[in-house]
Amino acid sequence: MDQKILSLAEEKTADRLQEFLQTLREDDLGNLLQSQAVEGKAVGALLRAIFKGSPCSEEAGAVRRLKVYTCCIQLVESGDLHKEVASEMIGLLMLEAHSFPGPLLVELANEFVGAIKDGSLMNGKSLELLPIILTALATKKESLACEKDELSGEEYKKRLVHTLCSERWDRQYVIQLTSMFKDVPLTTEEVELVAEKVLKILSKLSLQEIPPLVYQLLVLSSKGSRKRILEGIIAFFNELDKQHNEDQSGDELLDLVTVPSGELRHVEGTVILHIVFAIKLDCELGRELLKHLKAGQQGDFSNNICPFSIALLLSVTRIQRFQEQVFDLLKASVIKSFKDLQLLQGSKFLQNLVPHRSCISAMILEVVKNSVHSWDHVTQGLVELGFILMDSYGPKRIVDGRTIETSLGLSRTPNQHSCKLGADILLETFKIHEMIRQEILEQVLNRVVTRASSPISHFLELLSNIIMYSPLVLQSCSSKVTESFDYLCFLPLQTVQGLLKAVQPLLKVSMSMRDSLILVLRKAMFARQLDARKSAVSGFLLLLKNFKVLGSLSSSQCSQAISVSQVHVDVHSRYSSVANEAFCLEIIDSLRRCLGQQADVRLMLYEGFYDVLRRNSQLANSVMQTLLAQLKQFYEPQPDVLPPLKLEACILTQGDQISLQEPLDHLLCCVQHCLAWYKSKVLPMLQDEEEEEEEEDEVFYQELDDMLESITNRMIKSELEDFELDKSADFSQTTSIGIKNNICASLVMGVCEVLIEYNFSISNFSKNKFEDILSLFTCYQKLSDILNEKAGKGKTKTANKTNDSFLSLKFISDLLTALFRDSTQSHAESLSVLRSSTDFLRYAVSTALQKVQQLKDTGHVSGPDGQNPDKIFQNLCDITRVLLWRYTSIPTSVEETGRKEKGKSISLLCLEGLQKVLGTVQQFFSPRIPLFLQALDVPDNEGEEVEVSVTQRAAFQIRQFQRSLLNFLSNREEDLNSREAVLLVSVLSSLSSLLDPSSPQFVQMLSWTSKICKENSREDASFCKGLMNLLFSLHVSFKSPVTLLRDLSQDIHGHLGDIDEDIEVEKTNHFAIVNLRTAAPTVCLLVLSQAEKVLEEVDWLITKLKGQVSQETITEEAPSQAALPNHPMEKAIIMQLGTLLTFFHELVQTALPSGSCVDILLKNLCKMYTILTALVRYYLQVCRRSRGIPKMMEKLVKLSGSHLTPVCYSFISYVQNKKSGSLSCTGGKKKHAAVPVAMARVLRETKPIPNLIFAIEQYEKFLIFLSKRSKVNLMQHMKLSTSRDFKIKGNILNMLLREEEEEEEDEENEEDTASEHEGQNKEPAKKKRK
């Protein structure tokens, strides 16, 4: 039969073929096709023949064709055919589909839809035919019967698509069905329908089926609905990640019991690659992605920005055209996230309204963690993002060549958080990805070397962390580090120190690197630049500290930043212990040469030797011998020669230039500290060893002891005349003798300080030694007084000198404890010597203050252990305990009575010290605050102390200072030192920041502060400012301060009076602290800045609401109940603005003095109207969604129309009249010169006025729009704005011109009698001013 059909088909006409086919029964053709296809014979030729004999123009032919199609589809689905046969069959069916008449196409399409609905498809191969059928159907113009309706082909296709999307799809055909739609011409609405259907199915598939389906979706996105498809994919993976992180079973989300982490990440990685590939082909998709994620920034970004979307964005950075936009978006998201966090942390009002949001930094670090699963396409983007954040938000400010860093403290600003995030990204990426390590290290070193002028501490910290992670890993990149050593001579000293400290662990594992460094340092030692020589000394000292010689003491007592690397160094321990000694002695030899260089280089050496000894005790002999030899050069060995030191030898004279050559005070200080350490640590160890060695060692330490003893005795005997530094000496900075005397004086003062510490350390509470100390202090004080008296303008120089006291922090702590707290009976007599001198007590406390200030400014203190945070913290605790006891035991009021000495009282100095210490501890040691407060408590019941919270401890201290402040305020004498009150308020502010805002102690503190403000009237502006700041900071942490602002504005209005002089304002007196002296500018400026913060918060909330509205899709037309008018956020915004409105209503009617108060008020009003406009625009958006505006909003608009806008215009007139009044006051000869200056000032001060008027008019403009859209007349409460346009009034102009002509004539006539008239003209001017 098949042969006959084929032979008939070869004839020119198809008539005989048609006749033959008509004679066949229904099943014959089907059986024939089946047998041919299964056997794999030439089924294609047979089908062509059948189609030739079955023309669609005849009904029988068309019906036969339909049956053939049905039969072929069943054959293909049966799975009995070879792939090639099935493909050929489907291909032929596709070619012939377009010739089908409409009704048969409908029938064929319905068969497919039925099969999909019933799930009767076997392998889905035949689905390739469906898009052709639907396309053919869409082209049919005739009407097709569909149930009761008549539809065109296009409409029928649309109905079929809808039917398909409403049916349940079998999991195994989802990908084929999605793929099928890409070949069907679809409208935008249909594409959206299909996309929604597929996105819903995503969650029902297994992980492995997701990437191919996403690929098909992306192909489909070329037809439209790009945004929805991307949104859906991101939301799906976001949900999947959350589910996975919660560690729950994935039954609801996936048909799996659990999702293995690796598998999920691999799937996400594949999907990201698919999306990036699709974006490369379709830029519109990339634009939609960026648009979607940018929109998410406005509202709650956690819906859009998630680890998956961040990874996707980072992969997109590989596409050149999107790179810059993506990094800008990520950078903006990071900084916005940290700013939002800061805003939320600072406001209880916002915390109550906005739930805690996940921080973007955690998401980015999660991406870094996930990238271990072969996400190579993400890593490059991560590295670039890390460097972008570090470059953009690294430290910027430099003071005296030093960067102000709070590296010991916690990061404060969003910028610092962002920079820290950049460093964390790079460090974590470095740990995970081996391939990228070289690049990260190279880029960090490049920045360290090339950015000499800008601060790079953050890069040095990162480099240190990278090397600390594993020095052995970095040996492969050691060439890069060695290369950077070549630039050491040209880098600033601070950078060199940071770099060498960072690479220290590498030097221990790489001998070649160490040798390279030593070569570079030796060259630098004799470089022309002073900085290079200082760098060499710094480098050598660092090496000495860290290459331990065998037998050295354990350095557990010192903070060793590189202890982690010690693990790897043990491999070389035999080599290290033997070779290090020779290596270190060689370095000391090199360093001895520095003792002949400039004072700065020597100074560095002296400051570093103590740390070297402490870390490498076996070098004590060499170091001490070196110091002894150096000291002998400047020491008078004869016991009766005065003074005992050769000061002339310390000064270098080159022509007229006088400079310090030997910092003798630092040398002596170094000797004293090294000797004290040697005697306490090394000598006890040596006593068990052979006597010979002991004697050998004893020689130098005994000799140094004798020298210091001799210097002390002779310094006490020496008079100032012996140093040629008595009152008659020249101390001016202009003459060479004056400069020389200044240098000598500072050396003598330094030596005195060093000897004070030395004698105290060896005194063992001997009365004679304490008398020596007092004699040394007398010498120090005399010189200090002479310098202060003589220097005049040079007082600051002396202050700088005393700032860097030679006393160590540990000594100051011991000295203060002995002076104020030591109650041991045996010490009483000897201590009474020191206690009898008030000046010495004051000096001890002042020096403690200077040390704390130095710590606050630089993060460390001078002297031994000055860079060891643990020791510094311990000393701070001890000092604070003494200062606290001294201040609370002997109040200032008691000390002040009967006190004749000049200068601050000791109690006041103690209070100042407490204020500084509290600030410093919060800045640098915030994690240790519980320990700090514990150290201040009297250690009674030690067992219970553990349970006491920080809040309870802080509250206990607060009560002590509250009592002190109340005692101060109860003293009515106005001449009392207001500095004490200001300091007390500052201390209370620091302590109250440690209270938990939800605790009763916090509420108590707030009500106490409020009571003080209400009941005490003081005219001291700084006290008022401190107290009001404390009140606001407490109030903000408890609730919104708007009602407080309103009350304060009423008080200010009452005290300053009204802009209309005829109106008498009733005084409210809510807060007594507001009085005529403090109302303006102090309190006024404070309330305005607080109001500005509230406005910022409201603005932030409105922006958030707008974002939420724009994110809600228009399709979800929720009923109006879903977003009630009293939505909590909307209600809060309206309440805040309503209260602020009454606040501004009071202030704009107040007769404020010209200047900053008026300027800031005008700017704040402008901001107020801008935010009101933003709220109106939000409701315009809301009204589009068929929701009305709440009654509260109508009330707010009414209030603004009745209470704010009219008085604003009155205030503007008041300001302008005031300015023109001040202009008219310039008279006399200087009139013409003064007018332009006054005019310029007036223009500058009235600049905010046009901005305010524009803001008011914008507000009214959008109110008109809102009235139209909401069908509520909001303008009924608004008065028409004052007409402010420019008009020429002819009659007035003529009158002015006539007056001007008359004035000119008068001036010409009166030139001769000018002086007489001048006197007369001045009088009226004075009256005007009155």
Side-chain angles (χ1 to χ4, degrees), residues 338-355:
F338 285 126
K339 280 180 178 171
D340 289 355
L341 201 65
Q342 191 185 37
L343 197 66
L344 276 169
Q345 284 169 347
S347 166
K348 186 70 179 169
F349 165 68
L350 289 181
Q351 286 167 23
N352 293 339
L353 285 172
V354 182

Side-chain angles (χ1 to χ4, degrees), residues 176-188:
Q176 285 150 306
L177 281 166
T178 312
S179 170
M180 177 271 293
F181 279 110
K182 74 175 186 284
D183 299 322
V184 180
L186 299 172
T187 62
T188 314

Side-chain angles (χ1 to χ4, degrees), residues 238 241-242 245 300-311 314 337 357-370 375 382 421 425:
N238 187 16
D241 277 342
K242 280 181 190 168
N245 289 344
D300 185 7
F301 75 76
S302 57
N303 297 334
N304 298 26
I305 304 273
C306 58
F308 177 79
S309 61
I310 291 169
L314 289 167
S337 166
R357 309 194 302 173
S358 52
C359 185
I360 196 168
S361 59
M363 294 179 188
I364 295 176
L365 290 172
E366 195 178 322
V367 172
V368 178
K369 193 176 74 184
N370 295 344
W375 286 12
L382 276 170
L421 173 63
I425 291 169

